[in-house]
């Protein structure tokens, strides 16, 4: 096991009816900026629960945070927050709203253009306190310090991280996910699954606690994901997926172990050029990347196949073959195609994706930094 | 899954050489009370590493915190801390030193006798900041808000909990455990194992993430525990045990699930009357309690047997039989006897233990609150 530092200060308030507690979690002396997206929270009742709980608080609303939140939109929120002397942010929504709220929390305290935090890596030295009510389990942003923001004018999509933007409180009520569209449920399961794999499917460093925690999340998502589609009003299924998605990217399973993230890096280019959902791109890239890296990842692939999928075949190579096949079949079972063609993208689009990787200088990604644009070309060709 | 709230603010700094970082973690404007035990940290070099790292800090030392730390000793530390205007506590040691430091942190800020916090449940409204350097993996106190303190004059042993006494920083360097006596290593493994079981081996509430995390800790302790005895200078083994012990009682695996703790409650009486180590008492009680509660815990016992021990027998009853046998055999393999007779305690001592449970009003313990002193008598008789 490698040396590590781990800290996660987010308080999780989990369960049916817990949104009603948010008013107690936030001191009512605060002037709260209530941020949300396109209005689904008004249809599913979440908005009213939040308003009811915050009835003793001064609230200013900012709606319209879009999927892949943009600096153009968020700059308006920063301006509003400064004008209104906002001193607390409450994000209500999925990963995009919460990621956006993190930039607003940091941007209000930043002297200058908030885009500097992403484009120039300007250090976040202060941020407004931020809490969130999660409505879509997927990204783990409800309990980490990461955020990804898009600049529409230049088509850039950049991340930032700061310990200052961890949500203080994250309310996770699984029952609010009943009303999600099937595609978002499926995407969330695939996203959480691949987050786990990026921290697990690497060379081995003798870290059995981390391995087994990761395997526990993978097994849970494999069991519960399809049930969320076939039995969409089952509370326990939603709760187990929601908790698994949080644990998949709150930093815990990644302590002291190598990490990969090449699937994400290649996938981002597909989203940028072709507009696919983030999880769809992961479902395309991961099985092919597993195949291309089967030698260097062999020991963990065998462990994954035997422990997570229960494959009992005699030879390690057979276990790896089956493990890759079963991974892709799971994504397909969730309704998420695993080939570019499944989204109407022809093989001749691969040149453009490789060129984007060159442009973004992705010459050394993955756990061994041995994936460059030409290796990615082969991975994509096998996923055509 | 039940509703829950989870928050754990402790920053973990883990790995070989990490003690040297503690000086950076504590602002050097603080006047630090350095608390430790009987002096083993001077023999194994930990004390010098701490002093070297804190060379820019004002330090006052308080040594001599004993196993099962007493209010008599800790009151002296509280008096000293008040006299010297201490504003930060650094505990260096195992569970006893850290538990004791928690009471000092709260006691310095408490107007009145600090024993009130334990005996009268006086609320902790303020506490000095506290960090720790863990030298003995076992209790999980390095990353939770719990503490157990003894009053020698009355033979009382009482717990308190407060979110204000979570260590700010916990340094875990597995290499410092190389010099531990075999008995303390074994006790630590058994203690962490039973902490996990108390949160896992209950009726089922459909919480697969929590179940699998617990199973991962149990499997790791079963694999690594014996290696710590047979290969005592293996760093990875020590690291895996140390991380498993922290995860076993930092609150995570217990979220949203029933908990039992009857094994601990009965075990405490054995320590109180016969002076056995805490872990020794757990090793005596748990296998017999599993046998007595095999019907109500049947589903989880079968899951435990199949997943943790890999038992493939046909019938559930056979799986349960073997799971109990293997659990006891594991403790014995660690050198921790699982019968009262193994410690020279005769069966006629059971009357006294039952009387103590009556005196302490332990009439409804366990997940179903169905274990009373007479049930405990049967559990102890089968462990005679």
């Amino acid at each position: 096991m490698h040396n590590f530092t781990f800290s996660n200060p987010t308080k999780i308030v989990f369960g049916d009816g817990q949104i009603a507690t948010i008013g107690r979690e936030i001191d009512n002396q605060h002037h709260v900026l209530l941020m949300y997206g396109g209005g689904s929270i008004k249809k599913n009742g979440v908005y009213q629960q939040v308003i009811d709980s915050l009835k003793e608080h001064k609230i200013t609303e900012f709606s319209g945070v879009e999927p892949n939140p943009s600096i153009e939109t968020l700059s308006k929120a920063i301006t509003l927050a400064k004008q209104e002397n906002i001193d607390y942010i409450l994000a209500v929504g999925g990963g995009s709203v919460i990621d956006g709220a993190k930039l607003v929390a940091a941007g209000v305290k930043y002297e200058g253009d908030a885009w500097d935090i992403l484009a120039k890596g300007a250090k976040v030295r202060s941020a407004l306190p931020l809490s969130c009510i999660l409505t879509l389990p997927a990204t783990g942003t409800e309990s980490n310090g990461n955020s990804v923001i898009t600049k529409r004018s230049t088509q850039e999509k950049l991340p930032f991280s700061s310990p200052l933007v961890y949500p203080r409180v994250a309310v996770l009520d699984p029952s609010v996910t009943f009303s999600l569209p099937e595609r978002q449920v499926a995407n969330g399961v695939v996203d959480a699954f691949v987050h786990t794999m990026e921290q697990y499917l690497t060379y081995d460093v003798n870290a059995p606690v981390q391995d087994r925690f990761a395997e526990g999340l993978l097994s849970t998502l494999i069991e519960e994901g399809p049930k969320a589609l076939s039995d969409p009003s089952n509370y326990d299924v939603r709760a187990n997926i929601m908790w698994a998605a949080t644990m998949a990217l709150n930093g815990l399973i990644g302590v002291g172990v190598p990490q990969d993230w090449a699937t994400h890096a290649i996938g981002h280019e597909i989203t940028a050029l072709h507009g696919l959902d983030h999880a769809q791109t992961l479902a395309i890239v991961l099985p092919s990347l597993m195949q291309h890296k089967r030698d260097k990842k062999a020991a963990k692939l065998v462990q994954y196949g035997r422990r997570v999928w229960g494959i009992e075949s005699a030879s390690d190579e057979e276990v790896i073959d089956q493990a890759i096949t079963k991974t892709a079949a799971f994504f397909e079972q969730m309704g998420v195609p695993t080939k570019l063609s499944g989204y109407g993208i022809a093989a001749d689009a691969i040149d453009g994706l490789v060129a984007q990787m060159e442009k973004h200088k992705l010459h050394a990604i993955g756990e061994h930094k041995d994936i460059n644009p030409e290796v990615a070309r082969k991975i994509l060709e096998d996923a055509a």
Side-chain angles (χ1 to χ4, degrees), chain A residues 85-106:
Chain A
N85 292 313
I86 294 291
D87 59 8
Y88 201 103
I89 298 179
L90 178 62
V92 183
S96 293
V97 173
I98 299 169
D99 274 16
K102 288 177 178 179
L103 184 68
V104 175

Side-chain angles (χ1 to χ4, degrees), chain A residues 201 287-302 315-325:
Chain A
L201 197 72
S288 183
L289 185 142
M290 291 164 82
Q291 186 66 42
H292 277 265
K293 291 290 157 197
R294 63 184 288 154
D295 292 340
K296 288 190 176 174
K297 292 179 185 290
K300 198 62 79 68
L301 271 166
V302 171
S315 92
D316 285 355
E317 293 305 314
E318 281 169 24
V319 172
I320 293 173
D321 284 341
Q322 288 187 41
I324 296 170
T325 301

Side-chain angles (χ1 to χ4, degrees), chain A residues 134-150:
Chain A
L134 182 69
T135 59
L136 171 57
T139 74
T141 188
E142 65 277 9
S143 181
N144 66 38
N146 307 328
S147 166
V148 180
I149 307 295
T150 295

Side-chain angles (χ1 to χ4, degrees), chain A residues 146-188:
Chain A
N146 307 328
S147 166
V148 180
I149 307 295
T150 295
K151 189 169 198 171
R152 284 201 299 249
S153 60
T154 58
Q155 286 291 18
E156 290 168 281
K157 190 172 181 177
L158 297 172
F160 84 100
S161 290
S162 167
L164 298 173
V165 299
Y166 274 77
R168 303 288 178 99
V169 178
V171 179
L172 280 61
D173 180 345
S175 70
V176 309
T177 71
F178 289 146
S179 60
L180 288 172
E182 213 169 77
R183 172 168 153 180
Q184 290 194 9
V185 174
N187 281 345

